[in-house]
Amino acid sequence: MKKFNLFKEIIIVAKDDFLRAANSAKRFAVRYDGKIVFEPFEPDLIAIYEGSIPPLSPLATNLSRPISEMLGKDYRIVEDEDRLLIKASGAWQSIISYNQKRALYDDTTGDGIAEFSDKVLEDMGWHATEFNVSYREIVEQFEEKCEGILLCIEQEEPYQFSGLGFVFDIENAREIGFDYCVASIKDKLENDDDFATLTDDEEEAALYFKIPL
């Protein structure tokens, strides 16, 4: 997975596309790759901005509005000829809320990863915990071996959040997760005395992973 660190990344947007969206009064999103899309949003959208820009009041005395102010105070926008260069790290809390519902996993709270949004992977993770295989261990396999995006903000001080994970091929992630769990559980069954005798839940988990007992 590619780490998309909001603290370092500059999102490049075509100025004309942005102005059309801004002046449309419609709800739109700026994707992490700089493309602009309108509602209804795709379920795999990774956005650094979602919203609409309200028109100026007819009572306003100044009828011009700088592009640099259109997304609000948490975004820094620099105009570069026909492009806009956007720094979005100041809006990280909003960016979490935009993307949480679409991410495969959420590691932003400091409490660790509690679940996967994909039901197959969630069932897998739930069964794997019977053998002390954590969600974080499974996620490390995704981050190493899967194509996808880890949307995060990392700097030495202050440390903000570890990331929202998105994989581009969910079937591939399921295979990688399953194979890792099988290998880990087999190793524990062979080498960990804590699993010399299994509980009913552990036997059920082994059956889920097709591990003969």
Side-chain angles (χ1 to χ4, degrees):
M1 294 171 70
K2 178 184 183 297
K3 185 177 286 189
F4 192 91
N5 186 350
L6 289 165
F7 188 67
K8 296 180 179 179
E9 296 284 350
I10 296 175
I11 298 93
I12 299 173
V13 179
K15 185 189 293 186
D16 287 347
D17 291 346
F18 178 83
L19 289 175
R20 274 193 291 272
N23 294 325
S24 70
K26 296 178 181 177
R27 186 171 173 82
F28 68 95
V30 180
R31 294 189 348 182
Y32 77 98
D33 58 4
K35 292 185 173 61
I36 290 178
V37 294
F38 291 89
E39 281 190 323
F41 299 138
E42 294 294 322
D44 60 352
L45 172 66
I46 306 171
I48 61 101
Y49 172 82
E50 291 181 28
S52 59
I53 299 174
L56 289 169
S57 166
L59 301 177
T61 55
N62 183 358
L63 297 181
S64 65
R65 177 166 44 191
I67 290 175
S68 61
E69 298 177 3
M70 287 185 175
L71 297 184
K73 61 182 177 58
D74 293 328
Y75 294 84
R76 292 172 54 199
I77 303 177
V78 175
E79 297 183 55
D80 177 30
E81 296 181 353
D82 60 348
R83 308 185 306 169
L84 301 178
L85 311 180
I86 302 176
K87 288 277 286 184
S89 57
W92 64 271
Q93 290 176 308
S94 297
I95 291 170
I96 290 175
S97 67
Y98 299 150
N99 293 286
Q100 271 178 327
K101 57 186 175 293
R102 296 186 291 259
L104 174 61
Y105 62 88
D106 178 357
D107 193 15
T108 65
T109 64
D111 296 327
I113 300 164
E115 63 180 336
F116 295 120
S117 62
D118 176 70
K119 185 180 185 307
V120 172
L121 282 174
E122 173 56 21
D123 288 346
M124 188 185 303
W126 185 83
H127 282 93
T129 58
E130 294 294 337
F131 287 92
N132 299 329
V133 178
S134 69
Y135 283 73
R136 165 45 61 190
E137 290 176 76
I138 299 170
V139 159
E140 286 172 357
Q141 299 300 304
F142 300 158
E143 293 176 356
E144 178 185 348
K145 299 174 182 177
C146 292
E147 294 292 323
I149 293 291
L150 178 62
L151 184 65
C152 62
I153 178 165
E154 293 181 354
Q155 54 182 326
E156 290 184 7
E157 290 294 339
Y159 184 76
Q160 301 289 2
F161 69 84
S162 299
L164 297 170
F166 302 81
V167 297
F168 297 154
D169 185 339
I170 194 65
E171 291 294 341
N172 178 244
R174 290 169 178 170
E175 290 177 11
I176 287 171
F178 191 89
D179 289 347
Y180 173 77
C181 291
V182 168
S184 297
I185 293 168
K186 283 183 175 179
D187 179 69
K188 290 174 186 289
L189 289 172
E190 292 173 5
N191 300 301
D192 191 334
D193 290 340
D194 288 343
F195 298 105
T197 302
L198 300 184
T199 66
D200 290 346
D201 288 341
E202 289 163 353
E203 287 185 0
E204 180 184 336
L207 181 63
Y208 173 89
F209 287 107
K210 302 179 174 63
I211 298 172
L213 300 176

